């Protein structure tokens, strides 16, 4: 990764889409494959052999060229396009998280993706006071030149989008662009696509499932300098966004509420844990002002599609690494130390296991072996 950024030609963009849509290839595996083989085309050719070495008997599904082109055409019919990690249109802060989407399906204006952003999230079952506070915060942040991001959910998310339409808002959705959720916000979604931007990493036709919402949440927090939680119960999905924001090094803010209102249980707990207390827009602006213009870095470059030489792990190293893995998540650094294998060897072995569908990656760089 030289840091010069990505400049994909149409064929490379199609190959990136085929690679990220391939079975068992997530954002981390995608990055490892690009870094190892120098380009998506070479990585696609290597996938079956890598998965076989990881213990998979049946080759993983790899979308055909026709399938990838059909998805690109379907997105284009909605007025969308695919933006690759590292391209100028890709949100700068999102590049820096551990698992940025290699490709974002984008509808709407490019300029809102390039401006300083703050997220506002909260309860779907929002109170009147929570909605009012959200409107004030979103309008105040928009007036101060900030883009407001959220997840298009009913309640606080929808209020944040509505209040910032005129100044700039980004909606991150958990399904494909042709499968918006919830349906009641479809009209709002179309307005955002016209006046702001809508992002998704999921394929066209994808109906969002429960586990897709935390994936969406990491994008909401990842493209933002800070996350404001307005209302959240103690087991709210908004707390997942706050946790992800903290792990990504973002600022976390919370609006306090009455101890008698269960919708304030999560936000009050965040404040106890160190989140900045918010009673008005200035509380957010004061913290984020010094961070607004900080530089960001590029994370990936698509090289020419020529395979890069990399030594295969020895069978001895393979056995030692496999012997250390089990159902309990384990830090990759510990695997390197305890196995005595080189870092590159361990990374290749983990990649093979992941492509075979046997490895699970968890937060903070831990991995476990599925059975």
């Amino acid at each position: 990764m030289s840091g010069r950024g990505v400049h994909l030609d149409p064929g490379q963009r199609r190959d990136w889409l085929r690679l990220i849509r391939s079975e068992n290839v997530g954002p981390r595996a995608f990055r490892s494959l690009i870094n190892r083989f120098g380009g998506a085309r070479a990585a696609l050719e290597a996938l079956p052999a890598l998965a076989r070495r990881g213990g998979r008997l049946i080759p993983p599904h790899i979308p055909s060229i026709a399938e990838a082109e059909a998805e690109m055409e379907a997105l284009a019919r909605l007025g969308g396009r695919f933006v690759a990690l590292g391209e100028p249109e890709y949100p700068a802060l999102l590049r820096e998280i551990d698992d940025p989407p290699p490709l974002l399906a984008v509808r709407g204006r490019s300029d809102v993706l390039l401006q300083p952003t703050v997220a506002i999230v909260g309860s779907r079952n929002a109170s009147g006071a929570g909605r009012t506070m959200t409107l004030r915060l979103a309008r105040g942040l928009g007036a101060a030149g900030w883009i407001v991001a959220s997840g298009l959910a009913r309640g606080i998310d929808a209020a944040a989008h509505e209040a910032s339409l005129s100044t700039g808002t980004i909606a991150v959705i958990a399904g494909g662009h042709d499968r918006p959720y919830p349906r009641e916000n479809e009209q709002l979604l179309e307005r955002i696509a016209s006046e702001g931007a809508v992002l998704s990493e999921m394929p066209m036709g994808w109906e969002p499932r429960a586990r897709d919402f935390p994936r969406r949440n990491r994008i909401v927090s990842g493209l933002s300098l800070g996350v404001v939680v307005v209302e959240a119960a103690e087991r709210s999905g908004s707390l997942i966004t706050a946790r992800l924001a903290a792990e990504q090094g973002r600022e976390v803010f919370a609006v306090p509420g009455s101890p008698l209102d269960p919708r304030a249980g999560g936000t009050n707990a965040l404040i106890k844990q160190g989140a900045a207390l918010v009673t008005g827009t200035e509380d957010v602006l004061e913290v984020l002002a010094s961070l607004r213009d900080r530089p960001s870095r590029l994370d990936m470059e698509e090289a020419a599609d020529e395979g890069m030489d990399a030594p295969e792990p020895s069978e001895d190293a393979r056995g030692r690494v496999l012997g250390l893995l089990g159902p309990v998540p384990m830090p990759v650094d510990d695997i390197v130390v305890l196995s005595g294998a080189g870092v590159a060897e361990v990374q290749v072995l983990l990649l093979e296991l992941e492509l075979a569908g046997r490895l699970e990656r968890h937060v903070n760089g831990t991995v476990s072996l599925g059975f």
Side-chain angles (χ1 to χ4, degrees):
M1 295 181 293
S2 68
R4 296 197 306 272
V6 167
H7 300 281
L8 300 185
D9 62 37
Q12 288 175 322
R13 196 176 307 275
R14 182 196 62 209
D15 289 340
W16 272 46
L17 182 60
R18 292 180 67 206
L19 184 58
I20 192 57
R21 297 290 189 249
S22 294
E23 188 176 4
N24 296 325
V25 176
R28 289 186 178 91
F30 183 99
R31 180 185 302 230
S32 296
L33 288 163
I34 291 290
N35 288 343
R36 178 168 170 78
F37 295 100
R41 186 173 305 168
L44 287 164
E45 293 174 356
L47 268 184
L50 290 169
R52 185 170 58 250
R53 287 200 292 270
R56 186 181 177 95
L57 300 178
I58 302 172
H61 173 70
I62 299 173
S64 67
I65 291 174
E67 288 172 324
E69 289 179 344
E71 181 176 353
M72 297 173 80
E73 291 167 3
L75 179 62
R77 285 195 293 270
L78 291 179
R81 67 274 185 199
F82 283 104
V83 177
L85 174 64
E87 289 188 319
E89 192 180 350
Y90 197 98
L93 284 176
L94 189 58
R95 300 170 187 161
E96 301 180 3
I97 68 174
D98 289 338
D99 53 351
L103 283 175
L104 283 174
V106 179
R107 295 176 65 202
R109 293 164 42 195
S110 299
D111 60 306
V112 300
L113 303 177
L114 307 179
Q115 299 177 46
T117 302
V118 60
I120 300 178
V121 298
S123 173
R124 289 174 171 81
N125 182 29
S127 69
R131 289 174 182 269
T132 298
M133 186 65 178
T134 299
L135 295 175
R136 291 179 179 177
L137 288 172
R139 287 169 181 161
L141 289 166
W146 288 82
I147 302 300
V148 173
S150 199
L152 197 73
R154 59 178 64 91
I156 298 299
D157 288 22
H161 289 307
E162 289 169 352
S164 54
L165 272 170
S166 63
T167 53
T169 189
I170 300 171
V172 185
I173 58 176
H177 276 280
D178 55 346
R179 295 293 187 272
Y181 179 87
R183 292 291 182 179
E184 67 197 63
N185 285 342
E186 280 191 65
Q187 189 173 16
L188 174 60
L189 176 64
E190 291 306 314
R191 293 182 63 196
I192 297 170
S194 174
E195 302 177 47
V198 182
L199 310 180
S200 175
E201 68 174 328
M202 306 308 289
M204 295 291 286
W206 189 269
E207 293 282 358
R209 304 161 300 176
R211 64 182 179 182
D212 297 323
F213 291 96
R215 292 183 61 172
R216 175 206 62 184
N217 294 349
R218 90 185 192 288
I219 300 176
V220 172
S221 57
L223 59 82
S224 306
L225 276 169
V227 173
V228 184
V229 184
V230 177
E231 283 185 335
E234 291 185 349
R235 299 181 66 85
S236 168
S238 298
L239 299 187
I240 296 176
T241 311
R243 174 179 59 78
L244 292 167
E247 292 172 356
Q248 294 165 347
R250 309 306 193 235
E251 299 292 332
V252 179
F253 305 86
V255 176
S258 169
L260 301 178
D261 188 343
R263 289 169 292 199
T267 47
N268 290 342
L270 285 175
I271 293 168
K272 289 180 181 179
Q273 296 162 13
L277 186 151
V278 173
T279 58
T281 306
E282 289 303 319
D283 296 324
V284 181
L285 295 176
E286 184 177 352
V287 173
L288 295 184
S290 62
L291 304 175
R292 181 168 181 159
D293 298 319
R294 75 173 182 81
S296 62
R297 57 184 174 84
L298 296 178
D299 278 314
M300 186 182 297
E301 180 174 5
E302 168 86 3
D305 278 344
E306 298 175 357
M308 298 169 62
D309 292 332
E312 295 298 335
S314 67
E315 288 305 311
D316 184 49
R318 189 182 304 273
R320 293 197 305 271
V321 170
L322 281 171
L324 291 169
L325 288 168
V328 178
M330 187 175 186
V332 174
D333 290 345
D334 288 357
I335 297 173
V336 172
V337 172
L338 294 172
S339 69
V343 174
E345 282 186 302
V346 171
Q347 293 292 354
V348 171
L349 288 168
L350 295 180
L351 176 61
E352 291 174 356
L353 291 168
E354 186 173 5
L355 295 176
R358 299 175 61 193
L359 189 82
E360 293 186 32
R361 294 190 182 271
H362 309 277
V363 295
N364 300 325
T366 60
V367 296
S368 65
L369 198 62
F371 294 96

